[in-house]
Amino acid sequence: MQPLRKLFFVTLATLALGFAFSTSQVAYAQEDVPPAEDDVVINEFVVNPAAGKEYIELLVTKPGGVNMQGWTISDVSSRTAAAGAGGSEGDFILPASAPYLANVPQGTFVVLVLTTPAANTNTLTEDTSTTDGNRRLVLFTTTAGVTVAPTIDNAASDNIQVYAGTRATGTLIDQTLAGTNTSLVAGATWGDNSTATTTDNINGGTSIPSNSAIRFVPTADTLAAYQDNDTGARFVRDAASYGTPGAPNTGVPGDASIFSGGGAPLIISEFRLQGPTGTCDEFVEIYNTSEEPYTVQSLNAGSTGFSVVSSNGPTVLFTIPNGDTIPARGHYLGTNDGTLCTGGGAYSSGTYPAGNNTTATATGDRVFVSGDTPLNAGIALFNNSSAGGFTDTNRLDAVGPTSETNAIFKEGTGYPPLDASAQVNFQPNYSIYRDLRSGLPQDTQDNDADFDTVNPNGTELCAPTANFSCVRLGAPGPENLSSPVQRNADIKASLIDPNCTGMAVNPVLPSACRFERRTAAGSSPAALGTLSIRRRFTNSTGAPVTRLRFRIVNITTFPEGGNNGFADLRAISSSTVTAYCQSESGIPHQCTDNPSPTTDIEGTTLETDQYGQTNGGGFNSTLTLPNQLADGASINLQFTLGVETNGFFRFFVNVEALTGTPALQSPAATKAQATGKARASKLKK
């Protein structure tokens, strides 16, 4: 996976009003990552077997899986040579639209049988399913959609290349050279058998005898080792052997922890183990860290999926079934419906919005199959559903307090235990969630550093540490499969009025400037008035946005606000305003998105569950608007913050969106398209 890029912009100003502020807006850019070197490696092949058919076996090493539609496996000495020319053979081309190749899971063996199934004396049968649990695809030259031109087989001194796409233009993913072959494919920027002599080739520069199996043996049981087959020394020749097609190679250190679901890109991102309605007001949210959809497929024998388990017992809370797909950067939600509880209550944050409309809510994707979970129990996600498989080797993620004695159910030393008396007395609407200040859920494998509490009443729930906040104004934000996902890279912010980059001081006219401060006397959560942050957002996703909202990932608010010169700000709902394009001193000028001196700026609504956020929104709170946004269109928005205390401030948001075919286009989007002013740019000072 390529590094993620972060754009970070800061401005500082001091006003005569006594409101000094520092604002930051984070845009954490992500992009779809194309297949890259060694996402798939050549793992095994046979040469002229006495019985059975020749095959080439590939192993998918990329976490989250890889799209192999239209890939090409070749024995051709040049990217541009015609197949069958120049002493080279041809290409085995995978189907370009086969659904089973759209996301081949990590750890899958892809076996390409190089001759027809007729008189096939081995045990291989065609297998085009990635959900049957056998961790194998087997494709023949006669498999629907496969193209072989003109022919391809394994000989004593062949090369094998794997391309994502066509041989002529695709990305070279892996290659090997065998025997006396010196035909390294041009264009490789990495070291697979690239020495000047053939001694580094498979079999050390000596022709491979017939009836031999060639197998890759990694140096260690790590993902890096499985992706490092760049020298012939890592391949072993077995005489008079047919190999192990579709199964781990003989002699490997073991791959259970790497490929039996151990490499799944899933983490626990938010949870609570009690809540306002009682001890069973519980949920656990799982997050897909991958840039691609992830399909759950436990490869452990007899396992029906991935399980979320609590340390008491241990007890299975819920299982994500094999075959369920979690969107790229998407979420999966398990909730307790109270059916099996003795302590009372049930998940009660299901009214928090999700989906493409205001009636879609954050209901659970799976229901707990257990009763009450102790308040300070550790929880862990495992790559199987079998009680005997809840081991450190099979663990994908864990979070627990320092008081948790089973190290499998926490990472690092754990977070500080929640105060049971506070829970009994207040039953706060809280959650424990991963820090989002970088734009993505933080995962350093240290619970104390990665998680914080949040609740809308500012209730102190524990004894804080240097890293873990026990009181932070905000709200739970449970998300399920239908919830919007982070799209910072594709929906960028720019100024509505580039001619006014600062703060408007006109006390009467609403402004399209970067900021607008209103100091009229108010009441909490806006005792000292409001600050409005105005931005223009452009949809560059390539599809219509059907749901758009903004999650606050960093803000100066209670309890930090009012201390050490920092402001105390609270997110509040706002309505659409007709604003004037004007200078900082209040002199009107023409707007940039239309020929008028005025433009509409739409308000945003603070989203809540049934308990509301009467103190205003803070960390993990979300602001939304009902409008849909056509591809390429722009919309003017304002984030309105109630001011409780003056001072320096921070305000960071993640852009979350769903895309699809809209039923209705917003008036603002239509206007932006009509004027031809829809554009994307970095957030500017």
Side-chain angles (χ1 to χ4, degrees):
M1 182 177 292
Q2 296 176 350
L4 299 171
R5 298 170 297 173
K6 181 169 64 175
L7 308 177
F8 184 85
F9 303 87
V10 179
T11 184
L12 177 64
T14 304
L15 304 182
L17 295 172
F19 186 90
F21 60 93
S22 170
T23 82
S24 305
Q25 171 75 32
V26 71
Y28 202 92
Q30 293 179 300
E31 57 192 7
D32 291 334
V33 180
E37 168 197 342
D38 294 337
D39 281 347
V40 174
V41 297
I42 299 164
N43 192 57
E44 189 174 60
F45 61 92
V46 293
V47 175
N48 299 327
K53 303 303 178 184
E54 289 187 338
Y55 66 84
I56 297 172
E57 178 189 79
L58 311 177
L59 175 63
V60 177
T61 62
K62 183 180 180 181
V66 65
N67 185 337
M68 296 183 67
Q69 291 174 325
W71 281 35
T72 304
I73 295 82
S74 295
D75 177 13
V76 179
S77 58
S78 168
R79 281 183 178 268
T80 57
S88 54
E89 294 171 345
D91 302 321
F92 190 112
I93 304 171
L94 303 185
S97 59
Y100 62 87
L101 293 173
N103 187 27
V104 183
Q106 184 191 39
T108 301
F109 299 101
V110 182
V111 183
L112 311 176
V113 182
L114 299 184
T115 50
T116 62
N120 184 24
T121 57
N122 60 53
T123 59
L124 293 174
T125 57
E126 185 176 78
D127 185 346
T128 58
S129 173
T130 57
T131 60
D132 55 11
N134 67 4
R135 191 177 157 188
R136 180 174 64 233
L137 292 175
V138 180
L139 307 181
F140 291 93
T141 58
T142 55
T143 297
V146 167
T147 302
V148 179
T151 186
I152 179 172
D153 64 9
N154 296 327
S157 298
D158 272 354
N159 55 4
I160 301 173
Q161 312 104 40
V162 180
Y163 295 95
T166 67
R167 172 165 50 88
T169 62
T171 300
L172 184 59
I173 302 297
D174 194 26
Q175 69 173 338
T176 61
L177 289 133
T180 60
N181 194 347
T182 58
S183 301
L184 183 74
V185 175
T189 58
W190 35 274
D192 289 46
N193 309 75
S194 59
T195 53
T197 68
T198 61
T199 57
D200 193 40
N201 287 4
I202 294 173
N203 211 38
T206 302
S207 296
I208 298 174
S210 294
N211 202 30
S212 296
I214 306 299
R215 56 186 166 90
F216 166 51
V217 180
T219 57
D221 193 23
T222 65
L223 180 58
Y226 276 92
Q227 292 179 318
D228 182 14
N229 65 349
D230 290 352
T231 66
R234 288 182 172 79
F235 287 86
V236 176
R237 182 180 71 84
D238 297 324
S241 171
Y242 193 68
T244 55
N249 292 346
T250 302
V252 300
D255 64 1
S257 64
I258 304 299
F259 297 128
S260 293
L266 304 180
I267 59 175
I268 299 167
S269 50
E270 187 171 357
F271 70 98
R272 73 165 175 240
L273 299 180
Q274 291 184 14
T277 68
T279 60
C280 291
D281 193 347
E282 304 172 320
F283 72 84
V284 178
E285 173 192 279
I286 305 299
Y287 176 74
N288 176 13
T289 65
S290 173
E291 297 297 309
E292 297 177 358
Y294 182 80
T295 299
V296 169
Q297 184 58 57
S298 179
L299 302 175
N300 291 4
S303 183
T304 61
F306 292 177
S307 289
V308 176
V309 182
S310 63
S311 60
N312 59 303
T315 301
V316 174
L317 303 184
F318 65 95
T319 297
I320 307 174
N322 290 333
D324 276 15
T325 298
I326 304 175
R329 300 185 300 277
H331 299 83
Y332 196 99
L333 186 65
T335 59
N336 195 334
D337 66 357
T339 302
L340 302 176
C341 290
T342 59
Y347 171 65
S348 65
S349 291
T351 55
Y352 177 73
N356 273 329
N357 55 66
T358 57
T359 61
T361 55
T363 54
D365 298 303
R366 297 294 290 180
V367 173
F368 281 21
V369 295
S370 62
D372 312 48
T373 306
L375 176 61
N376 286 309
I379 55 175
L381 173 65
F382 295 95
N383 63 15
N384 65 88
S385 60
S386 306
F390 301 152
T391 64
D392 184 61
T393 298
N394 293 328
R395 188 187 75 179
L396 300 177
D397 192 33
V399 55
T402 56
S403 57
E404 176 56 63
T405 58
N406 188 338
I408 293 177
F409 290 89
K410 65 182 178 182
E411 290 186 343
T413 59
Y415 61 85
L418 299 192
D419 183 350
S421 65
Q423 190 73 12
V424 170
N425 293 334
F426 299 104
Q427 294 290 347
N429 183 26
Y430 83 98
S431 71
I432 297 177
Y433 77 107
R434 283 189 186 270
D435 192 329
L436 291 165
R437 286 177 291 180
S438 70
L440 294 172
Q442 179 173 298
D443 185 14
T444 66
Q445 300 184 11
D446 180 356
N447 296 157
D448 181 62
D450 293 340
F451 286 86
D452 282 301
T453 63
V454 67
N455 73 87
N457 292 321
T459 304
E460 188 165 8
L461 299 177
C462 56
T465 68
N467 296 316
F468 189 91
S469 173
C470 289
V471 52
R472 175 174 275 183
L473 186 69
E479 297 174 89
N480 59 17
L481 286 172
S482 72
S483 296
V485 299
Q486 197 251 65
R487 299 301 297 265
N488 288 342
D490 306 311
I491 303 175
K492 298 281 185 72
S494 59
L495 294 179
I496 297 174
D497 183 2
N499 294 315
C500 186
T501 60
M503 177 81 72
V505 299
N506 191 315
V508 178
L509 297 179
S511 168
C513 290
R514 185 177 188 182
F515 306 111
E516 180 181 79
R517 177 74 199 280
R518 295 292 176 185
T519 57
S523 58
S524 185
L528 299 182
T530 61
L531 173 70
S532 179
I533 301 175
R534 277 82 189 278
R535 294 293 186 271
R536 182 177 180 83
F537 288 88
T538 300
N539 174 16
S540 302
T541 64
V545 168
T546 57
R547 177 86 157 83
L548 181 62
R549 73 178 178 194
F550 303 85
R551 185 174 300 274
I552 300 172
V553 301
N554 200 356
I555 184 174
T556 46
T557 189
F558 179 84
E560 178 189 23
N563 298 311
N564 300 316
F566 287 101
D568 181 352
L569 303 181
R570 317 285 179 84
I572 58 178
S573 298
S574 57
S575 57
T576 300
V577 298
T578 298
Y580 286 80
C581 295
Q582 57 188 31
S583 67
E584 282 83 352
S585 60
I587 300 175
H589 55 249
Q590 183 173 310
C591 294
T592 55
D593 64 338
N594 59 62
S596 168
T598 63
T599 189
D600 289 338
I601 302 177
E602 299 206 29
T604 52
T605 300
L606 180 64
E607 295 184 309
T608 70
D609 58 20
Q610 67 190 71
Y611 302 106
Q613 296 180 60
T614 57
N615 296 306
F619 286 87
N620 206 41
S621 296
T622 50
L623 295 154
T624 190
L625 67 161
N627 307 71
Q628 301 184 22
L629 193 60
D631 180 36
S634 299
I635 190 168
N636 299 331
L637 297 178
Q638 65 173 342
F639 304 101
T640 300
L641 307 174
V643 181
E644 287 287 290
T645 305
N646 290 328
F648 295 98
F649 78 86
R650 299 182 304 273
F651 183 70
F652 295 68
V653 299
N654 271 352
V655 183
E656 297 182 350
L658 289 174
T659 56
T661 303
L664 181 66
Q665 187 177 346
S666 73
T670 304
K671 181 177 181 180
Q673 280 193 317
T675 58
K677 297 293 184 178
R679 57 192 176 90
S681 65
K682 297 179 181 178
L683 179 64
K684 300 177 181 178
K685 292 183 180 180

